[in-house]
Amino acid sequence: MFQANPEEQESMSDLPLRAQMAVALGRTAAKMSRLAGRGDGSVIGGRIGLKLDPELLTRLARDRNLVLVSATNGKTTTTRLITAAMTPLGQVATNAFGANMPTGHVSALAAAPDAKYGVLECDEKYVPMVLRETGANVVALMNLSRDQMDRAAEIWLLAGKWRKALEAAPDSHVIANCDDPLVTWGAATAKSVTWVAAGQHWREDSWSCPECGGPLDREGTNWACRECSFARPKPDWILHGGRVTAPGGRTYELSSLQLPGRANRSNAVIALAVVARFGVEPDVALPLLGQVKSVAGRYTTVEHEGRRIRLLLSKNPAGWLEAFDVLQPAPGPVALAINAQGPDGRDTSWLWDVDYRILRGRPVWATGERRLDLAARLEAAEVEFTLVEDIEQAVMAVPPGHLDVIANYTAFQDIRTRYGRVV
Amino acid sequence: MSSNDSIKIVWVYPDLLSTYGDQGNCIVLERRAALRGIRTRTVHVRSDETVPVDGDIYLLGGGEDRPQILAARRLHGDGGLHRARDFGAVIFAVCAGYQLLGTEFGGEEGQPVQGLGLLDIRSSRGQQRAVGEIVGDVDQALNVPRITGFENHQGVTHLGPGVKPLARVVHGIGNGDGHEGAYQGHVIGTYMHGPALVRNPGLADLLLRWAVKHDLPPIAESWSERLREERLRVVLG
């Protein structure tokens, strides 16, 4: 007999019996999955819950203040930053482990029945559906770039679906990065938008106007279509280097951030804009953002045999650009690991969109299941490297000291498991 | 081989036709030319610029439906690619670029869109997306080893009498009729998308041979040869 514990029954008593049952069964399944060592259980738990009650997500979302966070890159990290900065408001439900589809959302909300606030990382494709089902109060949209083309939608089509979904959700407020033209276009149909100049370093997917296809002209941070009226909106929040200017003109230093690099400064300014919407001012939010040191293993440093190994996750060309930004200065050693399993995308073509020449002059190790794809790419970029069968060989080959490891999704998980799952 | 060889590579419309590693084809051609002492100059021609007519090799990449339509329209208006072909230039196009070289292709709603007519092919939207590894045996006249690549498209392509199939499909979908790609003179199109030349140095060398108009010495085996062998082994078992 499955039964939710008494406190939970109390707090969920406004849910219909079927939904309560769905939550309880899902939670039991999640627990069994955890006991069996099969991950954190949030996907299986949510799947069972949704099977029993297809409207479970809508029911669980009711009467809460919800934020959806979506982007090609940085959604897990930004979700974590927003959650950290919302703690002064009370308990916050969140899918902290990157289970970013409705099954994960159900688990996250069911696990925190009393939380009045929720921050949900959302896969780009699922934004329309999850927005429809949850009626989220705030939708944060950060960047769109080429990613796993063998299974993901083409990004212009994706942005078009965001437009339709936001048009149909006039009560939802959008916080969007106006430095990314495609995100701007995707957000432009929303009834109310806070525009954040959060930066854009990967520009290969925004040469042409999403509205009419004409060429986009850029001057400094500004961009405008040469052929139609589509142009960068005036930002409400502006990130410049390590500082943020808030609406009203006050400027804040981001120096307390522990997460490295310009990509995380972008994530942080989005987080500041989101929590300000709920009344948490930057003065309060910034020290909380500074408490986040690593996110689901990303940026973690592990000690092994005298080596300090820092783990960086990069899943696509824009992500690699940001990983290169936080490397130890040359000639610091770097190990690269590439797989091409389902979650990575089975197509390694994107390696040719990454400019690896920046690694010239460093000791470089190449590994992962698709290390030969990487080898061919590094050879063409005239980067000297050593091919190794697994990460351990690279770790033991560098002298004691720092080693940066950049890996794509499943390669990253393999390495994280090997050196202990430090979250 | 003459060290006086010099070729100009034109990457056509990277702002519209570059979705996934298409740049790899430029890099491979530059590298395989350089290893033989052939100088290369590569120009990236954006869609608001004029296509030069004095290139030796023109490369067209993949793209989403709408950029593909825009690219076809602008290349029609420009006319440079047609003139370059008339001057004997080599054209190598992948995926969306391949389709738009034909007389007709399918738009975002499946509507027929007029292509450039540089290949006697006609493409339309198929029922299912073809996603995965593709292997084919190349038309014997081209003297190029078996090709290996990754396809990701929803097109079905019918070959007219003016073209020959580039390859016979051994694994994958390709044009949808058991053949993969097409060629007509020195114009080649293929559904192998993105950096198609990386795993197919033989195909890269064919383009270079056509461009310099003489045979080329072999070059020392590289990582791409090992990658090629691995992929063929994995796919064909």
Side-chain angles (χ1 to χ4, degrees):
Chain A
M1 178 72 190
F2 296 105
Q3 201 165 18
N5 72 42
E7 301 102 54
E8 286 164 1
Q9 276 188 334
E10 182 77 24
S11 58
M12 293 193 301
S13 56
D14 51 342
L15 288 179
L17 190 62
R18 188 177 181 82
Q20 290 186 42
M21 192 72 173
V23 167
L25 271 175
R27 203 174 283 161
T28 305
K31 196 170 183 181
M32 293 197 307
S33 171
R34 275 195 300 278
L35 288 172
R38 303 276 295 271
D40 80 330
S42 53
V43 172
I44 180 75
R47 192 172 295 157
I48 286 173
L50 279 171
K51 200 113 198 160
L52 287 170
D53 180 2
E55 287 172 41
L56 190 55
L57 182 54
T58 304
R59 293 190 216 283
L60 287 169
R62 198 166 290 155
D63 301 326
R64 304 207 216 209
N65 292 297
L66 289 186
V67 181
L68 302 186
V69 181
S70 200
T72 302
N73 288 321
K75 43 188 184 290
T76 305
T77 301
T78 306
T79 297
R80 176 68 176 277
L81 290 172
I82 295 170
T83 305
M86 279 182 39
T87 47
L89 300 170
Q91 199 194 352
V92 183
T94 186
N95 50 341
F97 298 97
N100 61 16
M101 293 187 251
T103 48
H105 302 147
V106 161
S107 294
L109 295 176
D114 297 324
K116 290 281 167 248
Y117 293 87
V119 184
L120 300 177
E121 172 188 340
C122 189
D123 180 279
E124 306 89 283
K125 289 188 298 298
Y126 282 90
V127 168
M129 176 193 170
V130 175
L131 180 59
R132 196 170 57 239
E133 302 215 343
T134 62
N137 306 66
V138 172
V139 183
L141 304 170
M142 303 183 294
N143 55 71
L144 282 174
S145 66
R146 58 189 72 181
D147 182 37
Q148 300 176 34
M149 301 269 305
D150 61 316
R151 66 189 188 96
E154 292 169 332
I155 52 179
W156 181 74
L157 293 176
L158 200 61
K161 287 175 184 162
W162 286 4
R163 283 172 72 83
K164 284 201 188 82
L166 292 171
E167 198 168 12
D171 296 333
S172 299
H173 182 79
V174 172
I175 291 177
N177 179 8
C178 63
D179 286 339
D180 185 319
L182 193 53
V183 166
T184 303
W185 186 71
T189 54
K191 197 162 176 199
S192 66
V193 186
T194 300
W195 296 111
V196 183
Q200 185 199 36
H201 299 102
W202 171 262
R203 293 185 170 179
E204 300 304 317
D205 293 308
S206 40
W207 291 113
S208 41
C209 174
E211 179 69 31
C212 77
L216 282 185
D217 290 322
R218 291 190 185 252
E219 199 185 317
T221 54
N222 262 323
W223 52 263
C225 178
R226 202 182 298 166
E227 287 171 9
C228 76
S229 61
F230 187 62
R232 180 178 183 252
K234 191 174 176 297
D236 302 295
W237 294 73
I238 302 169
L239 172 68
H240 28 95
R243 315 175 85 192
V244 173
T245 302
R250 223 184 123 185
T251 293
Y252 300 88
E253 292 286 340
L254 290 178
S255 50
S256 60
L257 278 189
Q258 300 269 329
L259 298 178
R262 62 192 181 202
N264 283 314
R265 294 193 287 275
S266 294
N267 296 337
V269 63
I270 293 283
L272 289 176
V274 168
V275 299
R277 185 84 193 159
F278 294 100
V280 181
E281 294 303 319
D283 284 326
V284 176
L286 276 167
L288 296 166
L289 299 186
Q291 289 172 12
V292 180
K293 294 189 177 71
S294 78
V295 178
R298 299 153 169 85
Y299 313 107
T300 295
T301 299
V302 293
E303 300 272 344
H304 182 75
E305 303 277 342
R307 279 79 174 172
R308 288 190 314 283
I309 310 159
R310 186 169 55 152
L311 305 182
L312 302 168
L313 172 69
S314 288
K315 297 183 279 196
N316 49 48
W320 280 78
L321 207 56
E322 303 306 350
F324 291 156
D325 178 55
V326 302
L327 289 181
Q328 292 289 304
V334 181
L336 311 174
I338 298 297
N339 285 359
Q341 297 181 18
D344 305 308
R346 296 192 182 277
D347 177 8
T348 57
S349 297
W350 58 269
L351 289 169
W352 293 83
D353 286 324
V354 179
D355 192 351
Y356 287 98
R357 291 176 298 181
I358 196 165
L359 299 179
R360 285 178 187 168
R362 292 173 183 265
V364 173
W365 281 268
T367 189
E369 292 160 5
R370 295 300 288 268
R371 54 187 175 273
L372 287 181
D373 295 72
L374 187 57
R377 178 68 191 98
L378 293 171
E379 177 187 52
E382 295 172 1
V383 174
E384 285 185 32
F385 63 94
T386 308
L387 196 75
V388 286
E389 277 177 28
D390 62 31
I391 190 68
E392 183 74 6
Q393 288 182 21
V395 168
M396 296 319 290
V398 299
H402 191 94
L403 171 67
D404 281 322
V405 176
I406 312 179
N408 69 344
Y409 193 74
T410 64
F412 181 88
Q413 300 302 349
D414 290 348
I415 295 167
R416 211 179 139 205
T417 306
R418 164 165 245 157
Y419 295 113
R421 287 174 78 94
V422 187
V423 175
Chain B
M1 180 176 87
S2 151
S3 59
N4 294 327
D5 284 332
S6 162
I7 57 173
K8 179 171 176 178
I9 300 169
V10 181
W11 188 11
V12 180
Y13 294 178
D15 53 333
L16 295 178
L17 299 174
S18 161
T19 43
Y20 220 41
D22 300 279
Q23 181 181 215
N25 295 326
C26 289
I27 296 171
V28 168
L29 289 174
E30 287 166 0
R31 178 174 164 75
R32 295 190 73 80
L35 288 170
R36 293 162 167 124
I38 302 169
R39 285 189 311 263
T40 55
R41 189 158 68 87
T42 302
V43 289
H44 296 186
V45 180
R46 305 236 320 244
S47 63
D48 58 337
E49 297 170 330
T50 306
V51 177
V53 298
D54 62 344
D56 298 291
I57 302 178
Y58 291 75
L59 297 172
L60 284 83
E64 298 187 28
D65 293 332
R66 202 176 61 147
Q68 180 187 26
I69 295 169
L70 281 169
R73 196 182 298 155
R74 289 182 195 170
L75 285 169
H76 241 300
D78 179 276
L81 198 57
H82 290 85
R83 284 209 298 283
R85 189 273 316 260
D86 294 342
F87 294 150
V90 178
I91 302 176
F92 180 71
V94 306
C95 213
Y98 167 43
Q99 292 182 339
L100 71 79
L101 291 186
T103 52
E104 187 182 292
F105 60 92
E108 69 266 47
E109 307 292 339
Q111 79 278 17
V113 179
Q114 192 192 359
L116 299 181
L118 291 167
L119 283 175
D120 182 16
I121 61 167
R122 198 166 41 79
S123 304
S124 56
R125 185 173 279 251
Q127 294 299 311
Q128 280 184 334
R129 227 178 149 75
V131 184
E133 297 277 339
I134 180 166
V135 175
D137 283 329
V138 178
D139 187 78
Q140 284 187 350
L142 295 177
N143 194 23
V144 167
R146 177 170 269 191
I147 50 176
T148 155
F150 197 95
E151 63 181 329
N152 184 357
H153 62 97
Q154 200 167 347
V156 173
T157 295
H158 307 276
L159 307 191
V163 292
K164 289 179 80 176
L166 175 64
R168 186 182 58 80
V169 173
V170 177
H171 179 96
I173 307 293
N175 296 334
D177 64 350
H179 290 115
E180 146 51 24
Y183 75 100
Q184 182 169 357
H186 287 178
V187 181
I188 297 183
T190 174
Y191 271 121
M192 294 187 295
H193 85 160
L197 298 179
V198 171
R199 294 192 214 164
N200 299 294
L203 195 54
D205 285 354
L206 173 70
L207 305 182
L208 290 171
R209 245 182 0 249
W210 280 348
V212 298
K213 301 179 179 69
H214 57 76
D215 281 343
L216 298 169
I219 51 182
E221 189 177 281
S222 67
W223 287 103
S224 59
E225 287 288 353
R226 283 186 57 184
L227 168 63
R228 168 189 173 73
E229 284 162 20
E230 180 199 71
R231 286 290 97 205
L232 285 170
R233 198 170 57 241
V234 168
V235 174
L236 300 178

